[in-house]
Amino acid sequence: MASSSNKITHPRMPIPKMSQLLWGTQKKGGAISTFPVVRLNNVVALPGIPKFCEKAFDELQDQLFPLEERPTMWQGTVYTDLDEFEFSKKLTELAAKFDDRTVQIGSYPEMHNKFFKTKLTVESESPDALKTALSALREMLVGHVVYYDSKAWQDTVPKWAEFKNRESQIGNQDFVSKLLEAERIVSEIVEKYPLDQIALSFNGGKDCTILLHLLRLKVDEKYGPGASIQGFHIMVEDQFPEATQFIIDAAKFYNIQVLEFPGPLKTGLAALKKQRPSIIAVLMGSRATDPNGKYMKTAVEWTDSDWPRVLRVCPILNWTYTDVWHMLRGLCVPYCKLYDQENWGKYRLWDVSKLVHFCD
């Protein structure tokens, strides 16, 4: 019987005399692992049950792969809106050029991602070789490299600065001006009113999703990502379950507490003011091109005297449909999946015309 660390195997579990029992260290508490694995020379026998195999690997990784023996790997990723088959031949030719530089290039098609179709990864032990390979990939995919961020709601402040810079570099100055104006309006509200006096009207639509991201950005900038945002949702009878699920997901991602009130809008606002009487500023994703949007004179206005008293704030009032989608896709802001359906326009997800009646 072989032993290690004063542990003796059970008689019914014979192992080769030349083998060694490896005992790992539990990540929590640092106690010795509850079971060993067997190593014979350079062969290690891990458990066959997946959860135990993963546990053993996790607890033994420092023994199996000492830090001093691990090569430093440099990694990079490129995303493209092309299908893999559209550039597969060129990619094969490109990969062949790096055979002698220990560069590995991987290509992974994505069937259901909203923002890209193929993910390309590059790994190398040389940072210079990695840089060269990434540059070659981007040159090969010129015009089809896309920005992708799987967690747009995190680190919003630096990402926002980078986004504006990218748009400026490609000469999209009119759009940048709209970004700056919307940012200014939200910033002024956040600076003027404490968070318990600000609420976002959030029904899961694309326009108010833009406002959710902008508000998260300015709250992060002033209070940090741990600060919660107040929101409310005026319920409609024919809302689709996909829209409801998106509201739930967005609330979790963006740290927003969404209260629900029955419609119509005037009734819902009255209920909001009754439950949250401190609310003053209500941010809305209304745009001038919405039904009855022509009646909205400025981006920031008080409601009419016969409506619940709130300051209506519409930072993207002068944005176009294209502007909205350019920001959503440019920052990879998550949005309701129904917009990706071929005939999404036939769905009456939200009665947007009701959102502007109270400010006529």
Side-chain angles (χ1 to χ4, degrees), residues 287-297 317 356 360:
R287 293 184 291 118
T289 53
D290 290 338
N292 295 319
K294 61 183 179 181
Y295 299 109
M296 303 166 66
K297 300 178 180 63
L317 180 63
V356 292
D360 291 354

Side-chain angles (χ1 to χ4, degrees), residues 3-155:
S3 63
S4 176
S5 301
N6 297 320
K7 299 283 184 176
I8 302 178
T9 59
H10 193 281
R12 296 182 182 178
M13 300 170 58
I15 60 174
K17 292 182 178 180
M18 299 299 294
S19 64
Q20 179 186 10
L21 288 181
L22 299 181
W23 295 86
T25 302
Q26 298 182 39
K27 296 301 181 181
K28 292 184 179 180
I32 194 169
S33 56
T34 55
F35 59 88
V37 300
V38 179
R39 176 165 66 185
L40 180 60
N41 298 327
N42 64 342
V43 177
V44 178
L46 295 170
I49 300 175
K51 67 177 182 178
F52 291 117
C53 179
E54 182 177 353
K55 179 178 174 64
F57 190 87
D58 188 47
E59 295 176 349
L60 286 162
Q61 59 177 325
D62 291 339
Q63 294 186 54
L64 299 177
F65 307 103
L67 285 173
E68 62 274 11
E69 296 180 8
R70 301 178 198 175
T72 300
M73 296 298 295
W74 302 83
Q75 299 177 331
T77 306
V78 175
Y79 300 92
T80 177
D81 58 6
L82 294 176
D83 290 317
E84 188 180 36
F85 71 86
E86 296 183 72
F87 58 84
S88 58
K89 183 177 179 180
K90 291 182 179 180
L91 183 62
T92 300
E93 295 172 352
L94 178 63
K97 297 179 181 179
F98 294 95
D99 279 348
D100 58 343
R101 300 194 197 180
T102 63
V103 172
Q104 296 182 359
I105 301 177
S107 178
Y108 306 94
E110 176 56 61
M111 303 300 295
H112 305 292
N113 192 281
K114 300 175 181 181
F115 303 101
F116 69 91
K117 293 183 179 179
T118 308
K119 171 184 176 181
L120 295 135
T121 62
V122 182
E123 293 184 350
S124 177
E125 297 180 17
S126 165
D128 292 335
L130 175 73
K131 184 177 180 180
T132 301
L134 287 173
S135 297
L137 267 181
R138 294 190 180 100
E139 183 177 353
M140 183 189 79
L141 299 168
V142 63
H144 295 281
V145 175
V146 297
Y147 170 84
Y148 178 64
D149 180 8
S150 62
K151 296 181 179 179
W153 55 89
Q154 295 181 359
D155 301 318

